Amino acid sequence: MYNMQAVVRKSINNATMQFEKLGYVANNLANYNTAAYKTSRFEQILREDGYVDGAIRTNALKGSIRTSTNPYDIAIDGEGYIPVVSPEGEIQYTRDGALKRGENGYLMTVDDWMVGDGIKIPANSYKFEIKPNGDVINYDNSGSLPEKIGTIPIVQFDCPEALEQGHNNKMVYNDESGAPKIIKEGNIKQYATEVSNTNIYDELNDLMRLNTSMIASMNLMKVADDMYNKAINIRE
């Protein structure tokens, strides 16, 4: 009786882990076309007691760089993240450089998080340039001298794989990832965006493997349940 109960418990544990991993796979597939999205991995660990546990890791590898015609689009060609600030003052980090000029003229993400400490693009701006080191240079007209109006900061982490998913394609640091550190050397490209690093073939392969594993777990639980019920009937 105890052995059958143990089989059921371990099968339930395994199925639960598979469902949780399935959620991350589904999220990766859903964000395949999201700019600079970083794939999340649910790594399964078999404990000494036979139960399955899991840990979440971020694939921090850079995605491909795609050219753009939008001057507000930028891509980080290398390591690093852009600090962005929510309307409530919360700081998170992103590689999604699909930016815009916000309502008050500030450089912002598409969901209205402010870039860095606040970089205001003048309403009468003729054009602006974003240098590799993040400096934003404005020109009032075709013959005006360049004027620096701010700098887009880039930070890096000791262990970016340990970063946690934050709000809407943003990341949050923790003790394992380490605190953000400013990068002095620039690696920003204007008129470009980074694509997701999700490998759709790997994700679809994981999806099929998970489906097979969950079916096997469910079948095992059904067999154990049938044996358990028969054992009770015999005792009665």
Side-chain angles (χ1 to χ4, degrees), residues 24-25 27-41 57-66 76 78-81 95-96 160-163 165 169 171 193-204 206:
Y24 286 97
V25 171
N27 190 57
N28 291 335
L29 289 170
N31 284 282
Y32 176 66
N33 290 317
T34 300
Y37 174 77
K38 298 303 169 199
T39 304
S40 295
R41 289 289 181 197
R57 287 289 180 267
T58 298
N59 180 355
L61 293 177
K62 183 188 77 173
S64 301
I65 302 296
R66 180 169 53 195
I76 304 173
E79 297 183 353
Y81 290 80
R95 287 180 63 92
D96 185 353
E161 292 79 10
L163 290 170
Q165 290 285 344
N169 203 22
M171 309 301 290
T193 56
E194 179 186 354
V195 302
S196 166
N197 68 0
T198 298
N199 185 317
I200 194 168
Y201 300 106
D202 287 346
E203 299 304 317
L204 289 174
D206 281 348

Side-chain angles (χ1 to χ4, degrees), residues 10-57:
K10 289 181 180 179
S11 296
I12 292 173
N13 170 251
N14 180 64
T16 301
M17 291 297 105
Q18 300 304 319
F19 273 118
E20 188 166 353
K21 185 173 182 177
L22 181 62
Y24 286 97
V25 171
N27 190 57
N28 291 335
L29 289 170
N31 284 282
Y32 176 66
N33 290 317
T34 300
Y37 174 77
K38 298 303 169 199
T39 304
S40 295
R41 289 289 181 197
F42 186 81
E43 304 292 343
Q44 292 179 311
I45 303 169
L46 183 62
R47 303 189 325 217
E48 292 182 359
D49 59 4
Y51 287 89
V52 179
D53 207 342
I56 302 166
R57 287 289 180 267

Side-chain angles (χ1 to χ4, degrees), residues 94-153:
T94 187
R95 287 180 63 92
D96 185 353
L99 306 178
K100 67 176 183 179
R101 184 180 183 274
E103 185 178 346
N104 296 318
Y106 287 98
L107 202 58
M108 308 189 83
T109 64
V110 292
D111 56 348
D112 296 323
W113 287 51
M114 185 178 294
V115 174
D117 295 328
I119 302 168
K120 193 168 186 177
I121 308 295
N124 62 344
S125 175
Y126 171 71
K127 73 171 184 177
F128 66 93
E129 297 177 349
I130 301 175
K131 301 295 186 181
N133 67 350
D135 287 348
V136 182
I137 309 299
N138 181 64
Y139 298 85
D140 289 334
N141 54 64
S142 59
S144 66
L145 295 174
E147 177 190 5
K148 179 181 173 181
I149 56 176
T151 300
I152 299 173

